[in-house]
Amino acid sequence: MLPVVFISHGAPSFALDPGSAGPALTRFGSTLPKPAAVVVLSPHWQSQGLYLSSSSAPETIHDFSGFPSALYQLQYPVAGAPDIAAQLQQHLQQQGFSAGLNPNRGLDHGAWVPLRYLFPQADVPVIQLSLPVRWSSRQLYQLGQALADFAPEQILFVGSGSLTHNLYEFRAYADEPAAAYAAEFSDWIANRLSQNQALQVVDALELAPNAKRAHPTDEHFLPLSFVLGIAGQYSTMQPLVREIRHSVLSMDAYAFERAGQEG
């Protein structure tokens, strides 16, 4: 069965400067059975209500500015999966969630940048899930729970965010020493995940040390709550990478095997 994955996508320049996270994602992706599709939640598609992308050929969106020109030349020419998107929509509606389909939405950098490392051949279709504005961490967890039994052997669910995300303190050089508060927050999360304390992690922005400094806004944290809702009482947790870049951006990524679904 396929695991559930949380990835920190860091700055858009991650696409050109992989650090240790890029190779770690590629190694992990090479160990997976090929999914029928990836469903990825990114904080860079926020919407009123919940939507699924249903394009058959989603464009690569360069939703950032001020970066080197080479970054704007990158493409991730992946297929979409409109049929699976429609099945997901129906499943969510059966679980009490109203969800729409958007046939025009492409993939923002929160989706395509990490996926180009996870599946560098762009040979796995991708569906993007929007992040409804003003949804709480608990609501994202519940959304994940609603998807936990949707084709677990075929669909790779990915939450793409950032384990810490304070752009006010961002440093230009990727190899700047890690800020103590960012390291403390990411260590707190790692400790709770290792103990399968999912709800403490879901509530981390109220419980964890330095939470408000690590996340002045919550949108880059919420994909982790979504992933934990799908994972449930996971049987194993695998840290794929633990790294802080630009002093304050944790690149930590985790894979969760769902209980009873190993192998």
Side-chain angles (χ1 to χ4, degrees):
M1 300 294 181
L2 290 167
V4 192
V5 184
F6 171 77
I7 295 172
S8 295
H9 62 252
S13 54
F14 178 39
L16 295 174
D17 182 11
S20 61
L25 293 178
T26 300
R27 287 192 298 271
F28 175 70
S30 71
T31 69
L32 297 175
K34 188 175 180 179
V38 174
V39 176
V40 56
L41 174 72
S42 161
H44 296 286
W45 181 18
Q46 296 189 39
S47 59
Q48 298 289 338
L50 182 64
Y51 288 89
L52 294 146
S53 67
S54 58
S55 169
S56 59
E59 68 171 314
T60 302
I61 304 174
H62 299 87
D63 53 332
F64 41 77
S65 60
F67 288 89
S69 59
L71 191 54
Y72 301 89
Q73 306 308 312
L74 293 178
Q75 297 290 318
Y76 190 65
V78 74
D83 291 346
I84 295 176
Q87 294 169 29
L88 270 166
Q89 179 195 34
Q90 183 178 29
H91 178 84
L92 284 167
Q93 289 172 341
Q94 291 169 349
Q95 298 294 317
F97 288 86
S98 177
L101 297 176
N102 187 324
N104 301 313
R105 176 71 188 188
L107 303 177
D108 60 56
H109 78 273
W112 68 263
V113 170
L115 289 180
R116 72 186 297 270
Y117 290 115
L118 196 60
F119 298 110
Q121 301 303 314
D123 56 353
V124 178
V126 178
I127 298 164
Q128 187 162 344
L129 189 63
S130 73
L131 177 64
V133 296
R134 291 185 292 278
W135 276 30
S136 68
S137 190
R138 286 286 181 132
Q139 285 175 297
L140 266 295
Y141 180 76
Q142 292 164 1
L143 176 63
Q145 288 180 306
L147 292 171
D149 61 349
F150 182 85
E153 75 284 359
Q154 299 176 346
I155 307 300
L156 180 69
F157 286 100
V158 174
S160 174
S162 194
L163 200 64
T164 60
H165 193 258
N166 187 338
L167 297 185
Y168 301 108
E169 300 185 36
F170 180 87
R171 299 293 182 265
Y173 296 103
D175 58 354
E176 288 276 348
Y181 80 87
E184 187 176 5
F185 181 86
S186 61
D187 287 347
W188 189 94
I189 295 291
N191 178 267
R192 297 317 187 271
L193 290 177
S194 70
Q195 299 178 54
N196 214 321
Q197 295 178 333
L199 289 180
Q200 283 205 24
V201 175
V202 170
D203 294 337
L205 298 189
E206 285 73 46
L207 299 176
N210 305 304
K212 295 305 180 185
R213 191 174 177 190
H215 288 280
T217 56
D218 65 0
E219 74 285 343
H220 278 74
F221 179 81
L222 295 176
L224 177 56
S225 298
F226 168 72
V227 162
L228 290 173
I230 301 171
Q233 288 296 309
Y234 48 87
S235 57
T236 61
M237 178 276 289
Q238 177 186 358
L240 304 180
V241 64
R242 296 207 60 208
E243 177 186 29
I244 293 177
R245 310 202 79 195
H246 302 283
S247 184
V248 297
L249 294 184
S250 170
M251 298 299 295
D252 292 6
Y254 294 94
F256 304 91
E257 288 281 358
R258 288 174 272 184
Q261 295 181 354
E262 299 91 332

